[in-house]
Structures are given as structure tokens and as C-alpha cells.
Amino acid sequence: MYGRPNSDEEKKFKLVKLIDIANRQNCSHLLIAGDFNYNNVDWNENMLPAGPTTKEQIFLDCISDNFLFQHVYEDTRVRGTQRPSLLDLIFTNEKDMIDKVEYCSPLGASDHVVLNFTLNLYSEEKEKTCNYVF
């Protein structure tokens, strides 16, 4: 998923709506990842600096309302003398679904790190049923 830093409000609201819809599918495993470009959010504390309600707050509320877990805690974008920022995020619907997030060197000319992680999945065995045709 990619959210342009200068996206208009309507696109940011569509993203929130899309996350709501994805979470309502009641999947056993939900993973949403990408460059969300919410650099004002403190993802370690899941909060914003005090101020008026912003698109970042609406996004944070969406993540909280959908009980999603965020797994990236170090800066993922570093460019020259600019302040490093945490833009690339991984959300899941289970706390232990992601293990061992590694922050690897960027590919090519990118200014974003490569995130390497372990995805823990399981399958639920369904009770065998017998179908009889008479």
C-alpha cells in the first residue's frame, strides 16, 4: 500500500474505509503493509502531538478501532540531512503474527529500508464431515 504524502483528504478517508472493510471480513490472518506517510505519528506510543484532529488522528483511530497491531518501531526512511522518519508500517490483527522484524539496507536508489520479517500463520483444522447421498 502506498499513501502519497500530499494525498487529499478523500483518499485518506478511502484508505480508512478500506481497512474497516478488510477487518470486517473476519479473516483469521490479516496483514496490511506499506508506506503510509504518517510521519507525525509516534508509532511507539500510538499517539500524535497535541493539536486539532488531523488525518493522522483519524488513521490512528481506525487502527485502534479495528484492534490492529503495528510491528515497525524504527525509522524506515533516511535521506541525506533530512530527519529520519517511520513511514513504512506493518499492521496485523494478531499481536504475535509478526516476529523478528529486520531493517535491511535499501534496494537501489531507494531511501527506504527493506523490512524483512517472519510471518507466523496457523490453520484451523475443521472437523471432518460425512456427506451421504441417498
Side-chain angles (χ1 to χ4, degrees):
M1 196 171 278
Y2 176 67
R4 293 183 180 273
N6 54 358
S7 288
D8 61 27
E9 295 293 318
E10 182 181 346
K11 287 183 182 167
K12 298 290 185 179
F13 286 118
K14 284 182 180 179
L15 173 60
V16 166
K17 192 171 278 193
L18 184 62
I19 291 170
D20 286 337
I21 290 169
N23 198 44
R24 278 189 298 221
Q25 301 308 306
N26 294 320
C27 299
S28 62
H29 301 95
L30 176 65
L31 183 143
I32 302 169
D35 177 358
F36 291 87
N37 274 305
Y38 287 119
N39 62 336
N40 293 325
V41 177
D42 177 349
W43 289 106
N44 292 304
E45 299 294 329
N46 286 332
M47 59 187 296
L48 282 163
T53 301
T54 62
K55 57 189 173 195
E56 287 96 347
Q57 186 63 57
I58 292 167
F59 185 75
L60 256 178
D61 291 344
C62 169
I63 297 304
S64 176
D65 292 347
N66 284 290
F67 304 101
L68 298 178
F69 299 92
Q70 203 287 112
H71 300 275
V72 182
Y73 297 102
E74 296 179 22
D75 294 329
T76 59
R77 180 180 181 268
V78 180
R79 175 180 251 172
T81 59
Q82 293 180 359
R83 181 177 65 96
S85 51
L86 199 170
L87 303 177
D88 305 285
L89 307 168
I90 303 169
F91 298 100
T92 63
N93 61 341
E94 294 182 16
K95 184 177 183 180
D96 297 325
M97 202 164 141
I98 299 291
D99 267 345
K100 303 176 192 165
V101 176
E102 297 175 14
Y103 303 82
C104 305
S105 299
L107 294 176
S110 176
D111 56 359
H112 291 254
V113 301
V114 172
L115 296 173
N116 186 17
F117 57 91
T118 302
L119 178 61
N120 301 312
L121 301 178
Y122 60 87
S123 67
E124 296 176 3
E125 278 194 42
K126 294 188 178 185
E127 189 176 311
K128 292 183 180 181
T129 59
C130 298
N131 294 324
Y132 298 99
V133 178
F134 295 101

